């Protein structure tokens, strides 16, 4: 074996006394985690923390089901991603503004027979970050897909939340899930049923705590949720602004492929054409304002800016700050 091959090993027995990375159990939760799962920053006076819920292995055609398979395969290869399935990151955000502690989305929670054991870590990771569920005053939901609400359905979570907790969601989103239309989605088998069941259960358990908004609502000073539609009819993004700085949590308006290929339809989009319009508008806006972007399924810590690149966009991750 050549020297280069030796140093490039990513798995297998220890080399030169250094254990290979797979010996560290990177999926493990708690203070002994060796892959960071939280990233904190300040937006003016507001504290923001991106927290990883884990990863979801999903088929690559979900990234662009209207794309030419050869072009899609080429994009995956150029990104050094495997051709058939890869791990979608899954992030949530905690915001502290004034007296309010606000959770933006709630992760996957328990895996309902879909074999997604490496997601659903949010609750443990909040605890590891010293964020007690009883401190959360508000939860803002970008939409009611299970990877954004499931964490609230984990056993014991509801009991630990404050009785006066307010959950914010677009009125159209709540309405949509009473009789959801999946006719334009292209999800893997089992997902539509799981999404329906989870949203239904969520509305049963938490319906009386939901405060709906039509188009826009200021949840806390500098924290504004705005309905975009597209991904789901009531899909919303949250803009955090303070002291001349701003960050948008875009939920599922943008996926990793969306910068190079904003027109590619994601399999989870209930109105793919509208979702593409929403994506392009948002990316244009962020490129113009140079404001920060975090999105649910961008690689952790999912924090960066958007640049224009010809007739598409370019993702520019921030340099980590300590
Ligand atoms: Zn999602």
């Amino acid at each position: 074996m050549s020297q280069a091959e030796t140093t490039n090993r990513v798995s297998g027995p220890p080399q030169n006394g250094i254990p290979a990375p797979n010996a560290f159990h990177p999926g493990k939760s708690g203070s002994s985690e060796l892959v960071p799962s939280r990233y904190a920053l300040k937006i003016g006076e507001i504290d923001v923390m991106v927290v990883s819920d884990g990863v979801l292995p999903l088929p690559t055609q979900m990234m662009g089901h209207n794309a030419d398979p050869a072009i899609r395969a080429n994009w995956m290869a150029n990104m050094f991603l495997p051709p058939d399935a890869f791990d979608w990151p899954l992030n949530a955000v905690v915001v502290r503004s004034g007296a309010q502690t606000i959770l933006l989305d709630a992760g996957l929670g328990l895996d309902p027979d879909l074999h997604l054991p490496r997601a659903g870590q949010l609750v443990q990771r909040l605890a590891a970050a010293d964020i007690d569920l009883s401190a959360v005053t508000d939860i803002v939901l970008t939409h009611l897909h299970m990877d954004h609400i499931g964490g609230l359905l984990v056993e014991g979570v509801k009991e630990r939340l404050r009785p006066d907790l307010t959950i914010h969601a677009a009125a159209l989103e709540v309405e949509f899930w009473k009789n959801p239309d999946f006719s334009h989605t292209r999800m893997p088998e089992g997902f539509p049923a799981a999404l329906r069941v989870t949203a239904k259960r969520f509305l049963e358990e938490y319906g009386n705590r939901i405060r709906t908004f039509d188009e826009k609502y200021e949840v806390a000073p500098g924290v504004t949720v705005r309905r975009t539609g597209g991904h789901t009819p009531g899909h919303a993004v949250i803009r955090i602004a303070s002291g001349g700085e701003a960050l948008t949590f875009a939920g599922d308006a943008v996926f990793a492929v969306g910068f190079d290929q904003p027109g590619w339809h994601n399999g989870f989009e209930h109105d793919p054409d509208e979702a593409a319009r929403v994506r392009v508008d948002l990316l244009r806006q962020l490129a113009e304002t140079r404001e920060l972007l975090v999105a649910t399924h961008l690689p952790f810590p999912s924090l960066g800016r958007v640049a224009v690149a010809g007739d598409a966009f370019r993702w520019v991750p921030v340099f980590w700050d300590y």
Side-chain angles (χ1 to χ4, degrees):
M1 182 178 280
S2 74
Q3 186 58 37
E5 276 168 325
T6 306
T7 51
N8 284 337
R9 284 182 75 97
V10 292
S11 62
Q15 301 292 312
N16 306 323
I18 303 164
N22 67 356
F24 289 137
H25 308 294
K28 225 171 104 186
S29 190
S31 57
S32 63
E33 281 188 316
L34 287 155
V35 175
S37 58
R38 59 180 192 259
Y39 187 94
L41 69 152
K42 276 232 168 209
I43 298 294
E45 294 295 304
I46 302 177
D47 291 310
V48 177
M49 187 188 279
V50 183
V51 182
S52 168
D53 187 60
V55 294
L56 303 163
L58 288 168
T60 55
Q61 62 265 37
M62 293 293 106
M63 279 282 126
H65 62 81
N66 62 334
D68 178 325
I71 295 174
R72 192 174 61 217
N74 197 37
W75 185 86
M76 297 303 293
N78 285 339
M79 293 295 285
F80 297 87
L81 291 169
D84 301 321
F86 75 106
D87 292 336
W88 293 31
L90 178 47
N91 307 302
V93 176
V94 183
V95 178
R96 278 197 186 118
S97 172
Q100 283 167 269
T101 297
I102 307 153
L103 182 61
L104 312 183
D105 283 349
L108 178 76
L110 291 179
D111 159 20
D113 306 323
L114 293 170
H115 311 295
L116 307 168
R118 285 180 294 147
Q121 312 274 349
L122 183 67
V123 173
Q124 300 93 288
R125 286 176 174 170
L126 290 176
D130 280 333
I131 297 166
D132 199 281
L133 286 178
S134 65
V136 176
T137 57
D138 301 80
I139 298 175
V140 185
L141 299 173
T142 59
H143 61 299
L144 302 190
H145 277 166
M146 69 181 171
D147 52 325
H148 302 253
I149 58 172
L152 299 174
L153 298 172
V154 171
E155 209 184 315
V157 165
K158 195 180 175 186
E159 292 70 25
R160 286 158 60 196
L161 292 166
R162 307 157 68 103
D164 61 345
L165 168 83
T166 308
I167 300 177
H168 306 267
L172 271 181
E173 187 68 7
V174 174
E175 197 49 41
F176 175 73
W177 286 97
K178 291 177 184 165
N179 186 22
D181 174 13
F182 282 78
S183 59
H184 300 287
T185 62
R186 299 282 179 84
M187 300 181 189
E189 216 188 307
F191 274 75
L195 290 171
R196 279 174 206 272
V197 168
T198 309
K200 188 169 180 278
R201 217 190 115 199
F202 170 75
L203 289 174
E204 281 163 9
E205 299 243 1
Y206 287 98
N208 59 352
R209 300 204 195 184
I210 298 176
R211 185 198 182 284
T212 57
F213 60 90
D214 289 330
E215 296 300 323
K216 215 174 178 180
Y217 181 70
E218 191 173 30
V219 176
V223 183
T224 307
V225 59
R226 170 175 70 87
R227 189 186 73 86
T228 62
H231 186 74
T232 58
H235 181 276
V237 301
I238 297 105
R239 183 168 178 268
I240 300 155
S242 170
E245 298 176 292
L247 175 154
T248 293
F249 178 56
D252 284 10
V254 185
F255 299 92
V257 72
F259 302 96
D260 290 340
Q261 303 287 355
W264 282 10
H265 293 170
N266 183 280
F268 290 93
E269 289 164 348
H270 292 258
D271 183 345
D273 287 324
E274 181 60 13
R277 274 192 292 275
V278 166
R279 180 158 46 248
V280 169
D281 278 358
L282 182 69
L283 292 177
R284 269 200 197 122
Q285 216 175 74
L286 291 171
E288 210 177 286
T289 61
R290 306 170 71 86
E291 291 177 5
L292 288 163
L293 167 68
V294 168
T296 307
H297 303 293
L298 292 180
F300 182 82
S302 169
L303 183 67
R305 292 187 175 80
V306 183
V308 172
D311 55 3
F313 300 93
R314 184 164 56 89
W315 170 240
V316 186
V318 296
F319 284 31
W320 285 35
D321 197 4
Y322 296 90

